[in-house]
Amino acid sequence: MSAGVFDKRSCRLGEGPLWHPERKQLFWFDILDKKFLSRQGDKQLEWAFDEHVSAAGWVSKDELLIASESQLFLFHLKTGARVHICPLEAQNPITRSNDGRADPWGGFWIGTMGKKAQAHAGSIYRYYRGGLELLYPNITVSNSICFSPDRKFAYFTDTLSRQIMRQTLDAEGWPKGEAVVFIDLTGEGLNPDGSVVDSEGCLWNAQWGASRVARYSPNGAFLTALEFPAEQISCPVFGSDDYTTLYVTSASVSINQPSEAEGRTYYHDLKIEGQTEHQVIL
């Protein structure tokens, strides 16, 4: 079965898809246009911000934790109210938030990067029960933040390295020991973007510039790939009532005369079940 179009709106940099398990609703971002998007049936929803926003985790049915270029804040979906939670590189004007995801302990991992992808300008942090802790400095393009269903591992990448890393976690979800290379895409010349892990522990990675999302076994072996009409596929997430639909964002940025396929949000129905997105505990 080929990919379908979930939403025809073209994002310059579609990213950060989140399936809200209580609302049964997909949310995503257009980072460069500073927008937060969703839909309910045929109704398109959109919220505008005055700075870049890129990733979210669900806190309650009506509240999300959103990462922007300067902070983490609580966003109320019905009222639009925003409550500051903590700064995020607020004193660094060259960076913005990028990839992020809630972890199984109620924490939230969030990566930053230079607005012009300056070398080693970004980092990866973990917000946990009121505190923001630096995990990995000197990151150029933070991506692929996701977690294994058995809670043993976190995954992440610096896209320019073309290597997805695996990090062992302790009983509270903090890194234990050094991260190791899980998937090395340097030989194939592929660029790892966002990732998500299914219920079988297999990692699904969006590969920027390759029009696909590839699935890898818990041991890092390539299994299969789904093709999409857009060239710059950016991030996948599982959703629908039984979590067997893979939703995928894309981007039109830097493509000369992009076709209407670029920047749209897609879906692919599978027989494989994903994980429920974890709830953020403030």
Side-chain angles (χ1 to χ4, degrees):
M1 181 179 176
S2 60
V5 177
F6 177 73
D7 192 273
K8 292 183 178 180
R9 285 172 287 181
S10 179
C11 294
R12 282 207 292 155
L13 183 53
E15 264 287 8
L18 169 72
W19 179 264
H20 195 305
E22 292 189 351
R23 300 178 69 91
K24 306 295 184 183
Q25 185 176 354
L26 183 71
F27 297 89
W28 68 99
F29 297 86
D30 185 340
I31 297 177
L32 295 183
D33 282 344
K34 303 175 182 177
K35 293 178 181 179
F36 182 47
L37 302 99
S38 185
R39 65 182 305 129
Q40 290 177 314
D42 293 332
K43 183 181 180 181
Q44 295 179 339
L45 304 175
E46 185 174 302
W47 297 265
F49 293 86
D50 57 5
E51 62 177 359
H52 298 98
V53 286
S54 69
W58 71 280
V59 176
S60 68
K61 184 175 181 179
D62 296 324
E63 295 172 309
L64 303 178
L65 181 70
I66 291 182
S68 77
E69 65 183 76
S70 68
Q71 63 176 313
L72 298 180
F73 64 93
L74 190 66
F75 181 68
H76 198 286
L77 290 165
K78 289 186 175 180
T79 67
R82 307 169 194 182
V83 178
H84 173 79
I85 299 299
C86 70
L88 178 66
E89 298 187 357
Q91 304 305 315
N92 189 348
I94 74 166
T95 62
R96 63 166 174 80
S97 61
N98 199 49
D99 191 66
R101 192 181 299 276
D103 69 33
W105 295 264
F108 186 74
W109 290 43
I110 181 65
T112 63
M113 62 174 287
K115 292 174 184 175
K116 297 182 179 179
Q118 294 93 328
H120 312 299
S123 298
I124 296 176
Y125 301 84
R126 186 193 190 204
Y127 173 84
Y128 185 66
R129 310 295 175 100
L132 187 71
E133 298 289 336
L134 174 65
L135 301 181
Y136 309 101
N138 304 316
I139 301 288
T140 300
V141 181
S142 56
N143 267 313
S144 283
I145 295 171
C146 54
F147 305 91
S148 63
D150 59 11
R151 299 187 173 202
K152 290 183 178 179
F153 303 114
Y155 302 93
F156 67 92
T157 188
D158 183 337
T159 294
L160 270 66
S161 74
R162 292 179 167 163
Q163 294 178 327
I164 299 176
M165 308 301 291
R166 185 177 70 187
Q167 174 67 64
T168 301
L169 302 174
D170 68 16
E172 289 189 342
W174 294 103
K176 182 172 65 176
E178 297 295 319
V180 299
V181 176
F182 176 62
I183 299 167
D184 191 342
L185 299 174
T186 55
E188 299 167 80
L190 295 169
N191 303 302
D193 207 302
S195 294
V196 69
V197 181
D198 65 28
S199 61
E200 299 175 8
C202 296
L203 184 144
W204 296 75
N205 176 240
Q207 294 172 343
W208 183 267
S211 302
R212 73 177 200 166
V213 175
R215 187 186 191 218
Y216 297 87
S217 76
N219 295 321
F222 172 79
L223 297 174
T224 189
L226 302 177
E227 301 297 326
F228 291 86
E231 178 182 341
Q232 295 176 157
I233 297 299
S234 55
C235 193
V237 71
F238 281 94
S240 74
D241 289 343
D242 57 3
Y243 294 92
T244 58
T245 298
L246 192 73
Y247 296 97
V248 178
T249 51
S250 70
S252 65
V253 65
S254 300
I255 297 178
N256 291 327
Q257 298 180 331
S259 72
E260 65 178 14
E262 310 299 341
R264 288 178 167 180
T265 301
Y266 295 92
Y267 72 93
H268 212 300
D269 291 324
L270 306 171
K271 295 181 179 180
I272 299 162
E273 186 175 333
Q275 298 184 70
T276 303
E277 288 294 314
H278 301 291
Q279 182 179 18
V280 178
I281 300 172
L282 298 179

